[in-house]
Amino acid sequence: MSRRKQIYEGKAKILYEGPEPGTLVQYFKDDATAFNAQKKATLQGKGVLNNRISEHIMVALGRVGIPTHFIKRLNMREQLIRKVEIIPLEVICRNVAAGSMSKRLGIEEGEPLPRAIVEFCLKDDKLGDPLVAEEHVTAFGWASPSEIDELIAMTLRINDFLQGMFFGIGIRLIDFKIEFGRLYDGDMMQILLADEISPDSCRLWDLETNKKLDKDRFRRDLGEVTEAYAEVATRLGIMKDNPGPVTKLSVVRNEKSDED
Ligand code: TMP
């Protein structure tokens, strides 16, 4: 598929060496996994949608002053990103109880939380990305105390922005997972938002009907997964001019593709 050197392959994305030092190419696959890859499928068009949705969100966050790894989209499935040292934590932010929090604490799904809650999970597939306390994070050196403060502050800013952005298109942001990386420049180090933000990594419910517009459709066998992702893209105004090859989806009407 590519002559470029592959740096890493994850469950939903591949990273290739970028055209310039300090850059990588992030390729979005159609593969979907859940429950630590015990459940797998290929969802045609998902990678294209997530590439576009993540681009849209990263650009918007950049405009309000959140530093991100995103440089530019290259084609339907790839974006150029800054190479960072990934902090081995999945940072989860929750506004409404759902998923593992509902299960762990016995709170009914859909129950609004008293305030936004930030959680850390160790990024380790072999261990199933276990929830960890800040004490573990600092004791094992995954991040320093000042980095934790910065991760929490950035996550809450991202949450505020995303909640408003999604509310404006009739969607409730229930929770999301993000990852961060360190960018070194001489003696200076900056923390950037990395990875992706897409319906794979968020819970998004329609404001009126509570219809799930995210990866829970796959996890819970609700069907019409890519259709829901395309609905999010359409509401974000992304699919108007360039929907790409997912023409099968009813919500996507434009036939043009810019895939390389
Ligand atoms: P959880 O309720 O299953 O812990 O998920 C919380 C949020 O994190 C939800 O928006 C889905 C997202 N998430 C990921 O992006 N990757 C994962 O591996 C898991 C378990 C959750």
Side-chain angles (χ1 to χ4, degrees), residues 119-224:
E119 297 175 342
F120 295 103
C121 294
L122 176 64
K123 216 173 124 58
D124 186 327
D125 283 340
K126 284 199 289 299
L127 299 175
D129 299 337
L131 183 69
V132 292
E134 287 182 31
E135 277 285 282
H136 299 105
V137 175
T138 50
F140 294 115
W142 300 320
S144 69
S146 69
E147 284 177 331
I148 291 191
D149 290 346
E150 202 173 336
L151 296 181
I152 294 173
M154 280 175 80
T155 300
L156 292 173
R157 279 182 69 200
I158 292 166
N159 183 48
D160 282 348
F161 179 81
L162 291 185
Q163 266 193 307
M165 187 191 78
F166 281 118
F167 186 79
I169 55 169
I171 290 174
R172 197 142 68 111
L173 177 62
I174 304 300
D175 57 31
F176 61 93
K177 182 271 297 184
I178 46 181
E179 297 182 24
F180 293 93
R182 300 182 184 98
L183 181 69
Y184 295 95
D185 181 10
D187 287 345
M188 302 294 284
M189 188 275 287
Q190 193 189 9
I191 292 182
L192 305 186
L193 175 65
D195 192 50
E196 71 177 293
I197 300 183
S198 73
D200 267 6
S201 57
C202 302
R203 283 198 176 91
L204 305 169
W205 294 3
D206 181 85
L207 215 47
E208 301 290 325
T209 64
N210 284 336
K211 180 181 174 187
K212 297 183 199 318
L213 300 170
D214 57 65
K215 195 171 153 189
D216 271 348
R217 300 203 71 82
F218 170 69
R219 297 189 189 97
R220 303 178 188 193
D221 295 321
L222 300 174
E224 301 191 327

